[in-house]
Amino acid sequence: MYQYFQPVQIFSQLHQEYDFIWQFEMDARYTGHLYHLLEQATAFARQQPRRHLWERNSYFYIPAVHGTWDEFNKMVDQDMADLPTIWGPVPAEGLNFSKEAPLAPSMPTAEIDTSSWGIGEEADVITWLPQFNPTNTGWPMRGVIYGFTQGPDTPRRSSPVAMSRLSARLLRMMHADLAEKGLGLGSEMSPTSWALYYGLKSVQIPQTVYHAQRWDPEELNRRANSGEPGAISAGGDSIWTWDMHHDILKNMTYMFDSEYSGRLYRAWLGNGDVDEWKRDNRLVCLPPMLLLPVKNTMV
């Protein structure tokens, strides 16, 4: 089974003193202070409202197109005003529906304002890239489904790169459903999908991601956020459909098969192809950024 999070489940079972666990890959690097990054990510996730959260999570947030974060939130709210939205659990068949699953409040109406639901609530899942519906995309891991009677129609969400913060509550649910029912999904679908099933809070951090080339923001948005509101990056032309958008993905500072992140990091250290880099760049001085992957370095 393609399941990086089983060791995290075991660790959580053995060390129940931890309420949250960060999972990182060994080839990730951060050019700033990692403590600050994780604290800021946690604080950001805590302040995100639940309304249209799944829909916001599916986007690459591009400030040059979407404006400020508040403007982006308002855009998504307006786009989703007359569309069905995820509000509470979306269970798959065969789950042990845990008593730990939180109850969603009533849907907002003219008389009931629940727009603040989730603000101040810790996130059960924090990811660094968008969370999208892979069912109708060409993402290669979309069919890694074990034990679910709905097969390819099983509801699910994915967030590429198996690096995230997970709550002990979520890990207990994943562990119980795997151990007792034999239910499982590919690694990058597991945390976000279990959050979807049980109505837990899942947040994408809009971390700063740099690109090796200059892009027209509107064109980048057209390709990175294809699809209609409520189904961003969920179709055949999704940014996650393999071999269709490598000119974008392989040149990002954070993507599991990027060729740019390692070159940038080695140039920052002053080794590797730094001389070649300096011919085109006056200084190799980086702001804090999360880089993945960085291979073949001891630092």
Side-chain angles (χ1 to χ4, degrees), residues 3 21-22 43 51 67-68 78 124 136-137 141 147 153 191 201 217 230 235 254 282:
Q3 186 44 266
I21 298 171
W22 286 99
R51 185 175 68 174
T68 66
Q78 291 170 359
D124 290 273
N136 296 315
T137 71
M141 298 288 286
D153 295 324
K201 187 177 182 181
Y254 186 86
R282 291 185 179 181

Coordinates of all heavy atoms in Angstrom, one line a residue, residues 3 21-22 43 51 67-68 78 124 136-137 141 147 153 191 201 217 230 235 254 282:
Q3 N 1.4 4.1 1.5 CA 0.8 4.7 2.7 C 2.0 5.2 3.6 O 2.4 4.5 4.5 CB -0.1 3.8 3.4 CG -0.8 4.4 4.6 CD -1.4 5.7 4.3 OE1 -0.7 6.8 4.6 NE2 -2.6 5.8 3.7
I21 N 0.9 16.0 15.3 CA 2.2 15.5 14.8 C 2.5 16.1 13.4 O 1.6 16.0 12.6 CB 2.2 14.0 14.8 CG1 1.9 13.4 16.2 CG2 3.5 13.4 14.2 CD1 1.7 11.9 16.2
W22 N 3.7 16.6 13.3 CA 4.1 17.1 12.0 C 4.9 15.9 11.3 O 5.7 15.3 11.8 CB 5.1 18.2 12.1 CG 4.5 19.5 12.5 CD1 4.4 20.1 13.7 CD2 3.8 20.5 11.5 NE1 3.7 21.3 13.6 CE2 3.3 21.6 12.3 CE3 3.5 20.4 10.2 CZ2 2.7 22.6 11.7 CZ3 2.9 21.5 9.6 CH2 2.4 22.6 10.4
A43 N -1.1 29.0 13.5 CA -2.0 30.2 13.8 C -2.9 30.5 12.7 O -4.1 30.8 12.9 CB -1.1 31.4 14.2
R51 N -16.7 27.9 6.6 CA -17.5 28.2 5.4 C -16.7 28.2 4.2 O -15.7 29.0 4.1 CB -18.3 29.5 5.6 CG -19.3 29.7 4.4 CD -20.2 30.9 4.7 NE -19.4 32.1 4.6 CZ -20.0 33.3 4.7 NH1 -21.3 33.5 4.8 NH2 -19.2 34.4 4.6
G67 N -5.9 39.2 -5.3 CA -5.8 40.3 -4.3 C -5.4 39.9 -2.9 O -4.7 38.9 -2.8
T68 N -5.8 40.6 -1.9 CA -5.5 40.2 -0.6 C -6.2 38.9 -0.2 O -7.1 38.4 -0.9 CB -5.9 41.3 0.4 OG1 -7.4 41.4 0.4 CG2 -5.3 42.6 0.0
Q78 N -18.6 34.5 -2.9 CA -19.5 35.0 -3.9 C -19.7 34.0 -5.0 O -20.8 33.7 -5.4 CB -19.0 36.3 -4.5 CG -19.0 37.5 -3.5 CD -18.3 38.7 -4.1 OE1 -17.7 38.7 -5.1 NE2 -18.3 39.8 -3.3
D124 N -7.3 19.8 12.1 CA -6.9 18.4 12.2 C -5.9 18.1 11.1 O -5.1 17.1 11.3 CB -8.1 17.5 12.1 CG -9.0 17.6 13.4 OD1 -8.7 16.9 14.3 OD2 -9.9 18.4 13.4
N136 N -11.8 12.8 -11.2 CA -11.9 12.9 -12.7 C -10.7 13.6 -13.3 O -10.7 14.1 -14.4 CB -13.1 13.8 -13.0 CG -14.4 13.0 -12.7 OD1 -14.6 11.8 -12.9 ND2 -15.3 13.8 -12.0
T137 N -9.6 13.6 -12.5 CA -8.3 14.2 -13.0 C -7.4 13.0 -13.6 O -7.8 11.9 -13.5 CB -7.5 14.9 -11.9 OG1 -7.0 13.9 -11.0 CG2 -8.4 15.9 -11.2
M141 N -2.2 8.9 -8.7 CA -2.5 8.1 -7.5 C -4.0 8.1 -7.2 O -4.4 7.5 -6.2 CB -1.8 8.8 -6.3 CG -0.3 8.7 -6.4 SD 0.4 7.1 -6.2 CE 0.2 6.9 -4.4
G147 N -10.4 -1.4 -0.1 CA -11.5 -1.8 0.8 C -12.7 -1.0 0.7 O -13.7 -1.5 1.3
D153 N -15.7 5.5 -7.2 CA -16.7 6.6 -6.8 C -16.6 7.0 -5.4 O -17.4 7.8 -4.9 CB -18.1 6.1 -7.1 CG -18.4 5.9 -8.6 OD1 -17.8 6.6 -9.4 OD2 -19.1 4.9 -8.9
P191 N -5.0 11.8 4.7 CA -5.4 12.7 5.8 C -6.6 13.6 5.3 O -7.5 13.8 6.1 CB -4.1 13.5 6.0 CG -3.0 12.7 5.6 CD -3.5 11.9 4.4
K201 N -11.6 19.6 10.4 CA -11.1 20.8 9.8 C -9.7 20.6 9.1 O -8.8 20.1 9.7 CB -10.9 21.9 10.9 CG -10.5 23.3 10.3 CD -10.4 24.4 11.4 CE -10.1 25.7 10.8 NZ -10.0 26.8 11.9
P217 N 0.5 36.4 -14.6 CA -0.3 35.9 -13.5 C -1.7 35.3 -14.0 O -2.1 34.3 -13.5 CB -0.5 37.1 -12.6 CG 0.6 38.0 -12.9 CD 0.9 37.8 -14.3
G230 N -16.2 25.4 -7.0 CA -16.6 24.2 -6.4 C -16.0 22.9 -7.0 O -16.1 21.8 -6.4
G235 N -10.9 18.5 -13.0 CA -11.2 17.9 -14.3 C -10.0 17.4 -15.0 O -8.9 17.3 -14.5
Y254 N 8.5 24.2 -4.6 CA 7.9 23.2 -3.7 C 7.1 22.3 -4.5 O 5.9 22.6 -4.8 CB 7.1 23.8 -2.5 CG 6.6 22.8 -1.5 CD1 7.4 22.5 -0.4 CD2 5.4 22.3 -1.6 CE1 7.0 21.5 0.5 CE2 4.9 21.4 -0.7 CZ 5.7 21.0 0.4 OH 5.3 20.1 1.3
R282 N 22.8 38.3 -9.6 CA 23.8 39.0 -8.9 C 24.0 38.4 -7.5 O 25.2 38.3 -7.0 CB 23.4 40.5 -8.8 CG 23.5 41.2 -10.1 CD 23.2 42.7 -9.9 NE 23.2 43.5 -11.1 CZ 23.0 44.8 -11.2 NH1 22.8 45.5 -10.1 NH2 23.1 45.4 -12.3

